[in-house]
Amino acid sequence: MDIISPRQTDIMNMLRQDGRVGVEELAELFKVSPQTIRKDLNELGDQDLLQRVHGGAVLSSGVKNFEYEARRLLAVEEKRRIGVLAASLIPDNCTLLINIGTTTEQVAIALRGREGMLAITNNINVVNLLSGTPNFEVIVAGGVVRPTDGGVVGEATVDFIKQFKVDYAVIGTSAIDEDGSLLDYDYREVKVAQAIIENARQTILVADSMKLERSAPVRIGHLSQMDFVVTDQPLPRKLKNLCDEHDVIVKVTDKTSLPRHTP
């Protein structure tokens, strides 16, 4: 799958909701020309992600996992750098909780090779990334596996998470509101994320700057609950002031070099 643009991802998300999109409506919504939208639809059609019809497009069959796979293709390098920087904050010989998310997966990748680690996760992708890694024990939460992204969710998952008290939690979010609220789409995942935050001594939020441009309907929590925020761009002044007020340490990736772990 080729890397797609944020606008193309939004178009696919609209298709998943409505089943059909129109060229003129999309052009008006995104403030671009109809020709630009047709190019977007043609590129997505070339990847068999949608089917072109007169005046627009409809969703192709068998694209249930598109949204998550598409997010993997957005801000790829930014997420990788965030993952490495976040992992550098976590020492060897500790316990951690990791939730679902394409950026949290990058943290898991960066943690491979560490010594004496125990990770509990509701992210099947993290299990696959870490299983078989020497000196790294992985526990997967019980519950219902969400087919769209491999997330394990539900009340059973929340109850499972509550059995633990770990050193660090690594969480992602779908959006960050200007008032500092952390937002997501699925209330079942939100409950799991809240349990992860509540059962960790320190919480690391990993979020690329695109999360500041989006919104979502369900509240996970608030920036003030975090101990660290790891991102790829300086936060807007209002959010930076909020973090300073609540002693939240903000770490911004360096585009010229990658950090190394120091125990």
Side-chain angles (χ1 to χ4, degrees):
M1 185 183 287
D2 297 329
I3 292 177
I4 64 174
S5 71
R7 183 176 61 243
Q8 290 172 342
T9 301
D10 289 339
I11 290 171
M12 286 303 304
N13 289 338
M14 292 171 65
L15 267 173
R16 286 173 58 83
Q17 286 187 335
D18 303 330
R20 190 186 193 284
V21 292
V23 170
E24 297 298 330
E25 293 85 349
L26 291 174
E28 182 177 353
L29 176 65
F30 292 107
K31 308 299 182 188
V32 297
S33 69
Q35 290 81 2
T36 297
I37 295 298
R38 290 190 187 97
K39 182 174 182 291
D40 284 336
L41 297 181
N42 289 337
E43 289 178 357
L44 292 168
D46 289 342
Q47 298 186 57
D48 296 323
L49 296 172
L50 56 75
Q51 180 180 343
R52 292 285 272 117
V53 296
H54 180 69
V58 296
L59 189 65
S60 296
S61 60
V63 197
K64 64 182 181 180
N65 201 31
F66 171 79
E67 183 180 353
Y68 198 74
E69 291 301 322
R71 292 207 304 272
R72 277 206 178 100
L73 300 175
L74 290 171
V76 175
E77 183 62 19
E78 290 84 351
K79 290 176 181 178
R80 184 177 74 87
R81 291 180 182 277
I82 289 169
V84 173
L85 180 53
S88 75
L89 303 174
I90 301 171
D92 289 343
N93 302 301
C94 71
T95 55
L96 59 151
L97 283 157
I98 306 176
N99 83 334
I100 192 72
T102 56
T103 312
T104 59
E105 289 174 21
Q106 289 297 318
V107 181
I109 290 171
L111 285 170
R112 289 189 296 198
R114 294 295 189 80
E115 297 289 333
M117 306 292 283
L118 170 64
I120 304 105
T121 183
N122 70 318
N123 186 338
I124 294 297
N125 304 301
V126 167
V127 174
N128 293 331
L129 288 167
L130 293 178
S131 60
T133 303
N135 303 312
F136 212 128
E137 185 175 356
V138 183
I139 299 175
V140 60
V144 177
V145 178
R146 195 166 51 192
T148 54
D149 58 11
V152 183
V153 296
E155 291 299 326
T157 314
V158 173
D159 291 341
F160 185 88
I161 294 296
K162 287 180 177 179
Q163 297 179 77
F164 299 91
K165 187 69 175 182
V166 301
D167 300 315
Y168 292 89
V170 178
I171 69 161
T173 186
S174 294
I176 302 175
D177 195 76
E178 62 180 9
D179 70 356
S181 295
L182 308 179
L183 307 170
D184 210 312
Y185 294 96
D186 188 337
Y187 73 92
R188 297 172 302 171
E189 166 58 20
V190 164
K191 288 186 176 182
V192 176
Q194 289 170 341
I196 288 174
I197 293 168
E198 290 167 3
N199 290 281
R201 296 180 180 90
Q202 295 193 71
T203 301
I204 302 171
L205 173 69
V206 290
D208 64 83
S209 53
M210 288 180 59
K211 301 301 191 299
L212 299 169
E213 303 169 4
R214 299 182 179 277
S215 186
V218 190
R219 190 176 188 274
I220 298 173
H222 195 265
L223 268 180
S224 60
Q225 296 173 269
M226 304 297 105
D227 294 284
F228 296 91
V229 174
V230 183
T231 185
D232 61 302
Q233 297 287 342
L235 294 178
R237 181 178 297 277
K238 183 177 179 181
L239 293 182
K240 179 61 168 65
N241 290 343
L242 190 155
C243 288
D244 290 343
E245 180 183 347
H246 293 278
D247 298 321
V248 180
I249 299 171
V250 179
K251 296 284 189 177
V252 180
T253 59
D254 183 351
K255 293 182 179 179
T256 60
S257 63
L258 288 173
R260 294 180 178 178
H261 169 62
T262 53

